[in-house]
Amino acid sequence: MDNKPKTSGNCIISDEVIATIAGAAAREVPGVVNTVSRPNDIKGLVASSAQRAVVVNSRESTVSLDVYVTICADGKIQEIATAVQQNVKSAVQAMTGKPVTRVNVNIAGVVLEDKAAQ
């Protein structure tokens, strides 16, 4: 007798759920103050994701992400961006089971120390 669990059907994970996971993972990284809404541009005015801090590009079996963050002024941009990429990728893959092919980190601003404390 086979004791393996049997599954049927599909599990669909919405882009909003993936964006929430990615945003939370990005904010966990030391040096990241917060995620911020993506700046408006011509493409953003037309797209429904114009005001999202995380833009999800889902394919059938893979995901790529654009994450917009503000960082502390005393942080090293390269180190923070690399840590955000790694943390977001591992969190999304662990929670969704979908491979993340790319995490683009966009530094949308730098916050001075006294503003970060607020």
Side-chain angles (χ1 to χ4, degrees):
M1 186 186 252
D2 189 12
N3 290 333
K4 293 181 183 178
K6 295 181 181 181
T7 59
S8 61
N10 293 326
C11 177
I12 299 171
I13 302 168
S14 74
D15 288 352
E16 288 80 17
V17 171
I18 295 170
T20 301
I21 295 166
R27 288 186 297 274
E28 290 175 352
V29 174
V32 172
V33 176
N34 206 354
T35 54
V36 295
S37 297
R38 126 187 190 167
N40 283 329
D41 57 6
I42 297 298
K43 183 179 176 185
L45 292 174
V46 177
S48 63
S49 61
Q51 296 301 319
R52 292 191 186 147
V54 178
V55 178
V56 179
N57 298 308
S58 253
R59 303 281 185 244
E60 286 184 27
S61 62
T62 62
V63 175
S64 66
L65 305 157
D66 288 298
V67 182
Y68 295 83
V69 297
T70 55
I71 63 170
C72 291
D74 61 348
K76 294 185 178 181
I77 293 173
Q78 184 64 38
E79 291 176 8
I80 294 171
T82 301
V84 168
Q85 285 176 321
Q86 293 170 348
N87 205 40
V88 167
K89 181 177 180 175
S90 68
V92 170
Q93 287 184 160
M95 293 185 78
T96 66
K98 287 187 169 188
V100 176
T101 57
R102 176 175 287 192
V103 178
N104 298 316
V105 179
N106 301 278
I107 308 299
V110 177
V111 178
L112 301 176
E113 290 181 33
D114 57 341
K115 289 184 181 178
Q118 295 174 357

